[in-house]
């Protein structure tokens, strides 16, 4: 809870997912009032993360009125000098959606990739399968939403189902494919989910080239320590293999 915990500025790399409540979109407010309300809400939540990347979770991407209002709220902050906010787009199943959303950003005066970071949230098998095509559309980053990817892949309702398993072989294969594809295109890859603090899972992610893990504020230090241990383990293993190879020669 961001209201209860002030993040340690020196030990975090930014905000992986910033999602705000947009219920007031359906209240009797005009567009200017909505833009003002959303921009203030965003600004209040990122005050501890100045000069560090913040990725805003874009909601209702098929509602272009609300989409444009969200982007205009971010543009209002950019005009004030708050320029560390990028947009993360979920629920993409076709490259044409990426093109259209980029056009909306351009219409309000924000050039994707050049002026504002632009990325996708991979949350369905469809988006995982099409990752190579999506990378061709030019992206700054990809976020793997492990919870949604797992529930949709395993065809279950939620994380409380007994079949829920983020380390299911079908999930691991998708993660591996996504990260390796993104690395070829020099696109930053992040992931969020329940299992990202599990040592075996962390080692799998590091081995497959994940760039960053998105975790709760109160588990940042613990997760960073586990990543460091996994990286050290992999480095030591590589060194031992190299020494063994040289000895055999």
């Amino acid at each position: 809870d961001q209201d209860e915990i002030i993040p340690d500025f020196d030990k975090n790399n930014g905000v992986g997912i910033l999602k705000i409540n947009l219920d007031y979109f359906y209240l009797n407010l005009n567009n200017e009032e909505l833009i003002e309300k959303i921009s203030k809400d965003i600004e209040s939540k990122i005050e501890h993360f100045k000069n560090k990347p913040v990725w805003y979770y874009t909601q209702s991407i098929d509602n272009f009125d609300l989409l444009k209002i969200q982007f205009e709220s971010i543009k209002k902050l950019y005009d004030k000098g708050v320029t560390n906010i990028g947009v993360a787009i979920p629920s993409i199943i076709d490259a044409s959606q990426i093109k259209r959303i980029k056009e909306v950003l351009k219409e309000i005066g924000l050039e994707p990739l050049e002026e504002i970071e632009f990325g996708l949230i991979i949350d369905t098998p469809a988006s995982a399968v099409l990752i190579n095509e999506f990378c061709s559309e030019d992206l700054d980053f990809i976020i793997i939403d492990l919870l949604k990817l797992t529930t949709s892949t395993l065809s279950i309702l939620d994380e409380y189902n007994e079949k829920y398993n983020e380390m299911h072989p079908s999930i691991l294969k998708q993660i591996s494919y996504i990260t390796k594809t993104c690395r070829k295109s020099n696109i930053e890859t992040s992931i969020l989910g329940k299992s990202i603090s599990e040592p075996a899972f962390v080692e799998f992610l590091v081995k497959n080239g994940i760039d960053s893990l998105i975790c709760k504020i109160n588990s940042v230090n613990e997760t960073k320590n586990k990543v460091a241990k996994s990286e050290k383990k992999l480095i030591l293993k590589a060194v031992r293999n190299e020494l063994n190879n040289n000895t055999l020669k």
Side-chain angles (χ1 to χ4, degrees):
D1 188 332
Q2 199 162 14
D3 294 328
E4 297 178 359
I5 302 173
I6 297 177
D8 188 331
F9 182 83
D10 294 325
K11 293 182 179 179
N12 73 76
N13 296 317
V15 180
I17 289 287
L18 174 65
K19 190 172 184 179
I20 64 171
N21 189 337
L22 293 181
D23 287 350
Y24 42 70
F25 177 71
Y26 301 100
L27 300 177
N28 189 25
L29 300 174
N30 61 42
N31 285 2
E32 285 303 315
E33 290 172 327
L34 280 169
I35 292 167
E36 180 68 18
K37 194 169 183 62
I38 294 172
S39 64
K40 283 185 175 179
D41 199 359
I42 294 173
E43 189 172 20
S44 69
K45 285 179 167 58
I46 66 173
E47 61 179 327
H48 297 297
F49 300 92
K50 293 177 181 178
N51 302 319
K52 292 197 174 186
V54 173
W55 292 336
Y56 174 81
Y57 184 99
T58 309
Q59 301 175 56
S60 303
I61 63 168
D62 294 321
N63 182 336
F64 281 98
D65 289 335
L66 181 51
L67 182 68
K68 190 172 183 180
I69 284 171
Q70 291 175 84
F71 289 166
E72 287 180 334
S73 301
I74 294 171
K75 177 64 164 57
K76 187 179 183 71
L77 292 172
Y78 266 64
D79 291 342
K80 290 174 60 177
V82 184
T83 59
N84 58 322
I85 308 169
V87 291
I89 315 297
S91 308
I92 295 294
I93 59 171
D94 189 279
S96 63
Q97 293 175 284
I98 302 172
K99 291 181 173 69
R100 180 67 186 107
I101 292 170
K102 282 185 175 181
E103 285 302 316
V104 176
L105 274 172
K106 291 177 183 178
E107 287 171 12
I108 64 161
L110 285 174
E111 186 66 32
L113 280 72
E114 293 181 14
E115 294 178 305
I116 185 170
E117 284 197 325
F118 184 93
L120 304 182
I121 298 176
I122 304 302
D123 47 15
T124 65
S127 56
V129 170
L130 293 174
I131 189 64
N132 189 52
E133 183 178 345
F134 293 165
C135 287
S136 299
E137 292 298 321
D138 294 330
L139 306 168
D140 288 304
F141 62 88
I142 286 289
I143 299 172
I144 301 170
D145 185 334
L146 202 48
L147 192 155
K148 289 185 178 179
L149 185 61
T150 300
T151 53
S152 57
T153 298
L154 301 183
S155 191
I156 55 179
L157 183 61
D158 54 38
E159 61 189 292
Y160 304 107
N161 188 291
E162 61 180 11
K163 295 181 180 178
Y164 186 85
N165 178 14
E166 293 181 346
M167 295 189 72
H168 188 280
S170 62
I171 307 300
L172 298 182
K173 286 183 179 179
Q174 289 181 80
I175 294 171
S176 181
Y177 176 62
I178 293 166
T179 53
K180 290 176 181 177
T181 303
C182 288
R183 285 185 77 83
K184 290 178 182 176
S185 299
N186 198 32
I187 294 172
E188 182 177 352
T189 311
S190 300
I191 189 168
L192 73 155
K194 293 177 64 177
S195 299
I196 62 168
S197 60
E198 296 294 328
F201 196 59
V202 170
E203 185 172 339
F204 167 80
L205 294 173
V206 172
K207 189 180 294 184
N208 277 273
I210 202 78
D211 292 301
S212 61
L213 308 181
I214 299 172
C215 57
K216 293 181 179 179
I217 291 173
N218 57 1
S219 63
V220 169
N221 292 342
E222 179 187 357
T223 303
K224 290 186 77 170
N225 288 336
K226 288 178 179 178
V227 170
K229 288 179 181 178
S230 294
E231 289 177 334
K232 184 178 180 180
K233 184 177 178 181
L234 292 173
I235 291 170
L236 287 173
K237 185 177 180 180
V239 170
R240 289 193 191 101
N241 288 338
E242 183 67 23
L243 289 173
N244 289 336
N245 291 335
N246 290 335
T247 300
L248 289 174
K249 289 177 183 178

